[in-house]
Amino acid sequence: MENRHGLILVNTENGKGKTTAALGLGLRAWGQGFKVLIIQFIKGSWKYGELKAAEALGSKFVMRQMGEGFVRNASEDAMAEHRHAAEEALAMARKEFESNQWDMIILDEINYAIKFGVLSLEAVLNLLEDKPSALHLVLTGRDVRPEIVEKADLVTEMKEIKHPYKKGIKAQKGIEF
């Protein structure tokens, strides 16, 4: 690995495309020979198109779905499962930091995990402090906390201007999943 300054990048706010942009960045990095790991904190059992794409890219572009699905309006029992899954995903991220085998790690929807209380802000800030210096780290999800913005090198807000849901058009294969 050449002498590289690993960055912390954040994709946030209410517009569509936070994960899509992170995956595009991962694809660009993969194209440069980087090893890319995506850890999904909320997404669980759905079969997203990006999973098939990641499989086709091989062992240098790995996606791990670790979440339990949608968190909003979950029962207390379901929230306990969400917390457990998010803590396991965070532990995996830490383990992968220590493995030093990745050039980029994408923590997909980690900001949601904080927002909905399945991860503590403190635990995520501690993880950011322990980021290896050459590792590029990407965080996605709405409502990023100011403390994370402070630690980040690049923050991009996705702003919704128009969305097909507002016309009653449901999520479509190849666009939303």
Side-chain angles (χ1 to χ4, degrees):
M1 192 172 354
E2 77 276 1
N3 189 8
R4 176 176 61 229
H5 180 90
L7 301 174
I8 297 174
L9 305 101
V10 176
N11 295 340
T12 191
E13 288 322 313
N14 72 335
K16 181 178 165 15
K18 295 172 287 294
T19 296
T20 305
L23 291 172
L25 187 61
L27 185 61
R28 175 180 286 160
W30 177 87
Q32 293 292 344
F34 288 16
K35 290 186 72 178
V36 179
L37 172 66
I38 300 103
I39 299 174
Q40 295 185 310
F41 278 78
I42 302 295
K43 293 174 182 146
S45 60
W46 276 31
K47 299 299 176 204
Y48 296 92
E50 56 262 31
L51 293 170
K52 291 179 185 177
E55 282 179 27
L57 294 174
S59 65
K60 289 187 175 185
F61 195 97
V62 174
M63 185 174 291
R64 297 184 185 148
Q65 287 183 299
M66 306 229 17
E68 291 291 322
F70 296 107
V71 177
R72 187 177 298 159
N73 301 322
S75 69
E76 191 49 45
D77 287 344
M79 283 301 287
E81 291 176 22
H82 285 293
R83 281 187 202 95
H84 179 72
E87 288 167 5
E88 284 188 342
L90 194 68
M92 174 178 284
R94 182 169 294 287
K95 178 181 166 202
E96 296 298 352
F97 276 19
E98 293 167 2
S99 79
N100 210 24
Q101 71 172 348
W102 304 101
D103 300 297
M104 177 182 285
I105 296 179
I106 298 169
L107 304 177
D108 187 37
E109 298 185 335
I110 194 166
N111 292 327
Y112 287 123
I114 297 167
K115 175 183 178 174
F116 290 111
V118 297
L119 278 181
S120 74
L121 174 61
E122 181 180 0
V124 175
L125 290 172
N126 288 338
L127 183 75
L128 297 181
E129 284 296 320
D130 295 338
K131 181 189 81 62
S133 63
L135 177 71
H136 294 303
L137 185 64
V138 184
L139 294 80
T140 74
R142 293 181 186 200
D143 300 319
V144 65
R145 297 288 298 267
E147 297 89 342
I148 292 175
V149 169
E150 180 66 29
K151 298 259 183 223
D153 298 293
L154 174 67
V155 178
T156 300
E157 285 188 352
M158 308 301 196
K159 180 181 174 186
E160 181 181 314
I161 295 173
K162 189 174 184 180
H163 200 294
Y165 286 147
K166 294 189 174 151
K167 292 183 189 176
I169 300 171
K170 296 187 190 259
Q172 297 186 62
K173 184 187 269 190
I175 303 297
E176 278 85 18
F177 60 93

